[in-house]
Amino acid sequence: MTEWTREQRYQRIEDIDQQTLDDLTDKVKASIYRQTYHIQPTTGLLNDPNGLIFFNGKYYVSHQWFPLGAVHGLKYWYTYTSEDLVHFKPIGATVKPDTKDDSHGVYSGSAFEYNQHLYYMYTANHRDKEWNRYSSQHIAKVNADQEVEKFPKAVIAEPPEGYTQHFRDPKVFTKDGIYYAIIAAQNELEQGRVLQYSSKDIVNWTFQGEIETKLDAFGYMWECPDYFNLNGYDILMFCPQGLESDGEKFKNIYQSGYIMGQYDIENLSMNHGDFFELDHGFDFYAPQTFLDKDGQRILIGWMGLPDTSYPSDNDGWAHCLTLPRVLTIEEGKLKQRPIKALESLRTNEETALGYANKFARQLYPYEGTQYELIIDILENDATALYFEVRTSKQFSTLITYDTRSKKLTLDRSESGSLPEPVEGVTRTTTLDTDLSQLRIFVDTSSIEIFCNDGESVLTSRIFTDEEATGIKASTESGQAYLRFTKYDLKDDK
């Protein structure tokens, strides 16, 4: 792969000739890995979801975007609107790197409503001639015609004393009429932290301090923080960088997770339990949440990771967003379920009952590359269950469930080309209860597995070929009685 120079990474799309852009668009369209019902970049690289909000009867979803190639470079926000979080209408680049403060990238941030208007708070990234970083937090107003009008200067000009320029990703929320912004930070000991600011007028922001947690030495940076209350529990989400893998935990290069308990917003003290990973697959990062039109808490993540090369890079594009998930807390545990509106994509329903045994069987007539597959485990006398999707003579993506240990494992060792560098070819989650259902969303180059009605989720990219369409089931020993329900999924956009 051609190495990108710094100059190439920081080109503005506005300065690129149309023929070059057309050639890149054609190259991306020809990629065999293009998704069908996930948000993906028109060209170049997509990363963090930004500016998620339901406002004036419409959803707004943005993502970080470097338009010119599958590398991290000069970032824009690319924005979509939607009425249902399933079908999306592109607006295009909205927040652009067009001032001195954000000359080297419009970084991540959030959306909020103030006086019946839509606003974004985002991190502006500037570099000097010696390539020193300067981070500041800015606000922009979104006008009725979708034009973005930036405030004339930063509302938070620099990190507070004792913190480095790793100071980004503001998440704005309100409580009792006060606007709060929590911001990812790194202290001078190079430890990840979350800082809190408050404002009554969204122009003047007061630094209140660092959120106190029980996690002291827990990575060198906490990116993409989010805070919300759900069913009486306070949840602080963030993405710690620099954790060592620990058995089945923390195996990705960077993690995404949460602590849950009670937050004293006045004293900035979070009383919480353990840190839990949100997703147990290979490719999940930078999740953000917001409230939908019904008041449900919705999560969308980046289906990818930094500092990792993906097979689609050679086709001029990288990454996508996850399907939206509804978050609930039930019996003190967080559950994640795909939003119900995704059912509008279903076509061609096929159902079957049958036994799985130690002989791997193709589930005739089940096959496909873009579908939803629901597997209900009605009886299970097997020591282990094996489910294969996107199979062919050459490829297979394997899901294994060990009945004794309640461990479910995703194995993509034979899934085709693999992202790199990545630790191992399997990811495992241990379920609290016996496996009763898998709900699997397969797109051209991804898989999202929801276990036991949202108890655990595994999200991953898979880069197989167009011939790998089979679905198989088998056991290690013994048998299981299963019900399969499969829908082809089609986005009519």
Side-chain angles (χ1 to χ4, degrees):
M1 187 181 300
T2 305
E3 185 66 30
W4 284 65
T5 66
R6 181 181 291 174
E7 183 180 7
Q8 289 172 324
R9 288 174 185 262
Y10 285 87
Q11 297 175 95
R12 290 171 48 82
I13 190 173
E14 293 86 352
D15 298 333
I16 304 301
D17 67 273
Q18 192 59 47
Q19 186 60 54
T20 298
L21 296 176
D22 290 345
D23 291 345
L24 178 57
T25 299
D26 290 342
K27 181 180 181 180
V28 170
K29 285 181 178 178
S31 173
I32 66 169
Y33 301 126
R34 292 295 279 174
Q35 303 272 69
T36 59
Y37 58 90
H38 286 80
I39 287 178
Q40 60 192 344
T42 53
T43 60
L45 181 139
L46 168 157
N47 58 305
D48 304 10
N50 293 152
L52 311 179
I53 195 170
F54 179 71
F55 174 75
N56 274 1
K58 191 181 297 184
Y59 292 102
Y60 290 78
V61 174
S62 301
H63 63 73
Q64 290 280 284
W65 184 45
F66 174 63
L68 302 179
V71 296
H72 289 276
L74 184 63
K75 295 294 177 64
Y76 295 67
W77 281 24
Y78 191 99
T79 302
Y80 295 84
T81 59
S82 176
E83 295 182 358
D84 59 3
L85 289 176
V86 176
H87 305 89
F88 293 91
K89 178 182 178 181
I91 295 175
T94 51
V95 190
K96 303 174 184 179
D98 54 12
T99 70
K100 179 182 177 181
D101 281 358
D102 56 30
S103 61
H104 290 73
V106 173
Y107 279 18
S108 290
S110 55
F112 62 95
E113 183 177 348
Y114 178 73
N115 285 349
Q116 289 80 54
H117 292 286
L118 175 59
Y119 291 85
Y120 296 140
M121 181 186 271
Y122 67 94
T123 297
N125 189 51
H126 172 70
R127 301 269 190 174
D128 64 17
K129 291 180 180 179
E130 286 71 43
W131 211 244
N132 297 307
R133 178 204 305 264
Y134 297 93
S135 298
S136 55
Q137 315 309 320
H138 286 248
I139 288 181
K141 181 180 180 181
V142 182
N143 296 322
D145 59 1
Q146 311 303 331
E147 288 296 314
V148 171
E149 180 184 352
K150 296 178 181 178
F151 283 19
K153 63 179 183 179
V155 293
I156 303 173
E158 59 187 357
E161 187 176 350
Y163 298 88
T164 73
Q165 289 291 335
H166 289 286
F167 176 61
R168 54 183 175 266
D169 311 337
K171 177 61 184 280
V172 176
F173 63 93
T174 60
K175 187 179 174 106
D176 300 328
I178 304 294
Y179 283 76
Y180 295 91
I182 55 172
I183 302 178
Q186 180 190 67
N187 66 22
E188 291 181 340
L189 297 176
E190 296 188 352
Q191 297 170 323
R193 294 293 186 262
V194 175
L195 308 183
Q196 182 172 297
Y197 289 75
S198 66
S199 176
K200 293 182 178 180
D201 60 10
I202 78 167
V203 175
N204 300 288
W205 292 82
T206 301
F207 174 54
Q208 295 183 288
E210 176 185 302
I211 295 178
E212 178 189 343
T213 74
K214 299 174 183 176
L215 304 173
D216 188 35
F218 196 70
Y220 60 78
M221 179 62 185
W222 294 357
E223 293 194 312
C224 306
D226 193 357
Y227 163 80
F228 53 91
N229 183 278
L230 186 60
N231 305 125
Y233 292 86
D234 290 317
I235 293 181
L236 181 65
M237 286 178 13
F238 56 95
C239 297
Q241 298 181 314
L243 301 184
E244 296 293 326
S245 59
D246 178 14
E248 296 165 8
K249 298 194 301 183
F250 311 148
K251 295 192 75 170
N252 291 338
I253 185 172
Y254 304 130
Q255 319 311 321
S256 303
Y258 64 95
I259 52 178
M260 183 168 69
Q262 298 299 319
Y263 181 46
D264 184 338
I265 199 167
E266 299 298 327
N267 294 307
L268 283 74
S269 177
M270 182 79 178
N271 183 25
H272 63 89
D274 292 339
F275 176 88
F276 294 101
E277 290 180 88
L278 274 159
D279 194 287
H280 299 275
F282 289 91
D283 302 291
F284 181 87
Y285 197 65
Q288 285 291 292
T289 73
F290 63 105
L291 294 176
D292 73 1
K293 62 183 179 181
D294 299 316
Q296 299 181 111
R297 179 62 57 175
I298 307 297
L299 178 147
I300 296 176
W302 165 26
M303 203 189 298
L305 281 166
D307 304 327
T308 306
S309 297
Y310 285 76
S312 63
D313 293 0
N314 293 323
D315 299 337
W317 72 283
H319 311 306
C320 60
L321 296 184
T322 69
L323 296 176
R325 309 172 185 179
V326 179
L327 303 184
T328 60
I329 294 177
E330 299 167 30
E331 298 179 351
K333 295 185 178 179
L334 184 70
K335 285 201 169 187
Q336 306 174 65
R337 297 181 176 94
I339 60 170
K340 186 172 177 56
L342 288 165
E343 295 176 8
S344 67
L345 297 177
R346 290 173 172 176
T347 62
N348 190 32
E349 178 182 359
E350 298 173 301
T351 61
L353 287 166
Y355 284 95
N357 54 38
K358 65 181 181 177
F359 301 103
R361 290 194 303 149
Q362 173 77 26
L363 297 176
Y364 183 82
Y366 291 163
E367 61 179 15
T369 54
Q370 300 100 13
Y371 57 84
E372 175 188 354
L373 177 65
I374 301 171
I375 305 172
D376 291 298
I377 299 157
L378 306 178
E379 298 175 15
N380 182 19
D381 296 324
T383 53
L385 297 171
Y386 303 121
F387 302 104
E388 297 176 69
V389 297
R390 297 301 305 274
T391 67
S392 64
K393 290 182 179 179
Q394 186 177 0
F395 300 113
S396 175
T397 298
L398 175 65
I399 302 165
T400 302
Y401 174 66
D402 186 299
T403 304
R404 294 154 295 194
S405 65
K406 297 186 175 64
K407 292 183 185 296
L408 185 135
T409 299
L410 172 65
D411 183 340
R412 65 177 186 185
S413 58
E414 297 181 6
S415 294
S417 300
L418 295 174
E420 57 183 23
V422 175
E423 179 182 339
V425 292
T426 63
R427 292 291 183 267
T428 297
T429 181
T430 301
L431 302 177
D432 294 329
T433 56
D434 292 331
L435 181 64
S436 58
Q437 185 191 76
L438 292 176
R439 190 174 176 192
I440 305 168
F441 289 83
V442 172
D443 206 341
T444 313
S445 58
S446 68
I447 182 169
E448 290 164 89
I449 306 166
F450 294 82
C451 310
N452 285 354
D453 194 26
E455 178 187 327
S456 191
V457 190
L458 299 92
T459 300
S460 296
R461 300 300 301 278
I462 52 174
F463 295 91
T464 181
D465 67 14
E466 296 159 311
E467 306 299 316
T469 61
I471 302 171
K472 295 181 179 180
S474 61
T475 68
E476 181 182 59
S477 62
Q479 65 181 10
Y481 190 48
L482 310 172
R483 178 173 62 229
F484 295 90
T485 309
K486 176 181 169 288
Y487 304 92
D488 293 329
L489 296 184
K490 184 177 181 182
D491 187 351
D492 295 322
K493 66 175 182 289

